[in-house]
Amino acid sequence: MPASAAAVATAPELAHAFATFTAATARLEHEYVALRARVAVLGGELEEKNRLLAASVARERELEAQALRQSRLAAMGEMAAMLAHEVRNPLGVMELFTGLLLQDLRAQPDALRLAREVARGITDLNHLVTNLLEFTRTQVPRRAPVDV
């Protein structure tokens, strides 16, 4: 009976080992539940951060597109101003010669009527160029006292 005596002698040790194992398992289970809850919280935070990051990237792209549009509009404004200056010079020459033509055609009513139409068209174009230049000119606000 030496084998059963050894088995009886180890029964308290086995009971202690099972109790230790059960306690360790309960502790591990508790830690696992706590870790799982923490992972869920961190996952939610990560999803929120990813959403905020995506919104930030979208806003940045929108701002870049807006800056590109602004840059193109500024370039178009400069080009329009250059074009207006280039058109204004020949318009001045046409206006001068049309004025001379109007004087020369005073005795010819039909031709004078046509020359006046040309002069009116030149004046209209000149107003258009002036408006274009005014529109493209950078306005600098000035403070001045006013009588309300």
Side-chain angles (χ1 to χ4, degrees):
M1 297 215 124
S4 67
V8 171
T10 60
E13 292 174 353
L14 280 176
H16 177 67
F18 277 121
T20 303
F21 177 77
T22 302
T25 303
R27 200 171 52 250
L28 284 174
E29 184 178 0
H30 175 73
E31 291 295 323
Y32 174 77
V33 169
L35 281 174
R36 199 168 171 151
R38 182 71 178 141
V39 166
V41 168
L42 290 174
E45 288 177 9
L46 183 60
E47 285 178 13
E48 177 65 14
K49 299 293 183 193
N50 281 338
R51 187 189 63 73
L52 291 173
L53 180 62
S56 176
V57 167
R59 178 69 178 144
E60 184 177 337
R61 285 185 181 150
E62 181 182 313
L63 289 173
E64 285 174 355
Q66 189 176 25
L68 182 61
R69 279 192 302 274
Q70 292 289 347
S71 174
R72 285 184 178 173
L73 286 174
M76 280 180 57
E78 289 176 20
M79 190 169 65
M82 288 177 14
L83 182 65
H85 281 292
E86 291 299 320
V87 168
R88 177 158 277 176
N89 292 334
L91 274 179
V93 172
M94 287 190 278
E95 190 172 32
L96 175 71
F97 286 127
T98 304
L100 294 173
L101 185 62
L102 288 171
Q103 290 176 5
D104 289 347
L105 296 175
R106 279 181 283 181
Q108 301 172 23
D110 289 337
L112 184 62
R113 185 180 53 78
L114 292 175
R116 282 186 181 136
E117 288 296 321
V118 170
R120 188 178 7 242
I122 291 170
T123 301
D124 290 345
L125 282 173
N126 212 0
H127 286 298
L128 180 69
V129 168
T130 299
N131 289 339
L132 182 63
L133 286 171
E134 285 294 322
F135 180 74
T136 59
R137 185 172 291 130
T138 302
Q139 299 293 325
V140 178
R142 290 178 297 160
R143 290 180 153 202
V146 292
D147 185 15
V148 180

